Amino acid sequence: MDGFLSALGQKLAERWLTQLVLPGALFLATATAAHTLGQTQALDYHRLADRITHWAQTPAAPTHGGQAVLLGAILAIAAAAVLAAQGLGALVQHAALAADWRTWPRPLRQWAHTRVTRRHTRWRAAAHRYQRQLDADARTLALHRRRADPTPRRAAHHAMLRIATEAPDRPTWSGDRIHATAIRLERDHHLDLPVLWPHLWLTLPETTRTEITGTEQALTRATTLAGWALLYAPLTIWWWPAAPLSAAIALTARYRIRTTTDTYAQLLEAAARLHATDLAAQLGITHTGPADPTLGEALTHQLRTRTPPPTSEGNPPR
């Protein structure tokens, strides 16, 4: 037991150090450099070293009490910065997935509607080009008895996927990637994913749930990284090197959000396709073979919450 508690304490300490202290301390160091150097002497590291030396030579710095106060202040500010980054990351994730954009405040809702319309127009044009390329390749195969060069077809398909995997319904690529999973399951198997998922999650094998949970955590880390980019951005007012730093963090976060969202959507779709029959068996729905529209309709009908009928003509229940 002592060994277990020791190992657990070590893991918690490592996680606390890597996820709280180090990112917050780096932000605090950058903010200190921005405050000390300013725009005109942004890269004057001698000035920064002199200022730090001056702070270290203050009467309170060498004392144990002064060092304890300084360390406590650094840890508190670093933790506050981490919490702020996580809060901004939650907002970034909400905006990136944009599941409820139709309920946003009016200016944001109008912007989102305009963006969805533009993305849908671009996607429709790319889908038409892809379909024309498919038809051309089919004609080549029919007339000349040979397969056409797949490069143009793959390029047209990739151009369509860069916009969205299905017809856009949300203002962001990541939001549409998650939405595409629900669209495909509804079209192929008549499965309503929002209705199905809470029940399906309880029946999934532990390994599958671990994979999905790990991807969710990776998405949270990616959006938190975007939160750090938002925190670094205001420092450019005092120190211009914060601008490329913030931009690099933002680009890295964007890439990670898109890749983890794509992985998460694939896992959701695979879990629903593979284990819908297991859920049906637990619910007592007799079915043999793979999931088909009949099974999907039966699952959705049984799991969907029904609106209760009114008790009487306009009279509230007693």
Side-chain angles (χ1 to χ4, degrees):
M1 180 61 70
D2 292 339
F4 170 76
L5 293 177
S6 177
L8 179 62
Q10 183 178 359
K11 288 184 178 180
L12 290 177
E14 291 176 356
R15 184 175 181 181
W16 178 77
L17 179 66
T18 56
Q19 295 189 7
L20 288 179
V21 177
L22 291 182
L26 178 60
F27 176 78
L28 180 59
T30 306
T32 302
H35 175 73
T36 303
L37 299 178
Q39 301 287 11
T40 58
Q41 297 175 314
L43 301 179
D44 189 354
Y45 63 91
H46 293 292
R47 175 182 171 85
L48 181 61
D50 292 341
R51 184 61 60 88
I52 294 175
T53 302
H54 174 72
W55 290 337
Q57 291 176 350
T58 57
T63 65
H64 294 294
Q67 292 175 359
V69 171
L70 178 61
L71 179 61
I74 291 175
L75 293 178
I77 296 174
V82 170
L83 292 177
Q86 291 175 347
L88 291 173
L91 294 177
V92 170
Q93 182 170 340
H94 185 78
L97 300 184
D100 59 344
W101 68 267
R102 290 178 176 85
T103 64
W104 288 358
R106 184 176 181 84
L108 293 176
R109 187 169 68 250
Q110 289 178 336
W111 170 84
H113 176 73
T114 302
R115 183 168 171 79
V116 170
T117 302
R118 291 176 179 175
R119 296 184 72 250
H120 194 277
T121 301
R122 290 173 52 221
W123 183 86
R124 189 168 57 237
H128 286 331
R129 288 192 295 269
Y130 176 55
Q131 186 61 49
R132 287 197 299 268
Q133 190 61 50
L134 286 177
D135 295 340
D137 291 351
R139 286 195 299 270
T140 300
L141 180 61
L143 295 176
H144 304 288
R145 302 297 179 183
R146 62 177 178 83
R147 293 185 179 275
D149 182 9
T151 302
R153 182 178 71 253
R154 292 171 180 170
H157 187 239
H158 184 64
M160 183 183 69
L161 293 182
R162 280 203 306 267
I163 303 171
T165 53
E166 296 284 342
D169 183 73
R170 298 183 183 180
T172 62
W173 185 92
S174 296
D176 272 326
R177 184 64 189 91
I178 299 294
H179 181 67
T181 300
I183 293 297
R184 290 172 174 177
L185 291 173
E186 173 65 31
R187 182 180 59 214
D188 297 344
H189 303 290
H190 293 188
L191 289 171
D192 190 334
L193 184 61
V195 172
L196 177 76
W197 185 252
H199 309 273
L200 182 64
W201 176 257
L202 298 177
T203 64
L204 291 177
E206 187 63 29
T207 54
T208 304
R209 290 198 290 181
T210 300
E211 288 290 333
I212 295 174
T213 301
T215 307
E216 288 178 335
Q217 294 173 350
L219 179 59
T220 299
R221 290 193 297 269
T223 54
T224 300
L225 189 62
W228 281 114
L230 294 177
L231 279 184
Y232 277 98
L235 297 181
T236 59
I237 300 174
W238 299 280
W239 196 51
W240 65 261
L245 178 61
S246 177
I249 295 174
L251 290 175
T252 304
R254 179 179 181 272
Y255 172 78
R256 290 185 178 179
I257 289 172
R258 289 175 70 111
T259 54
T260 52
T261 300
D262 185 46
T263 303
Y264 182 61
Q266 292 183 42
L267 290 176
L268 290 182
E269 185 173 349
R273 291 180 186 272
L274 290 174
H275 298 285
T277 53
D278 298 336
L279 177 61
Q282 294 211 20
L283 292 174
I285 300 175
T286 57
H287 182 77
T288 58
D292 58 16
T294 303
L295 177 63
E297 291 173 357
L299 279 170
T300 302
H301 176 76
Q302 183 160 339
L303 297 176
R304 178 174 288 138
T305 302
R306 292 162 179 79
T307 303
T311 55
S312 61
E313 287 290 335
N315 295 324
R318 295 182 180 273

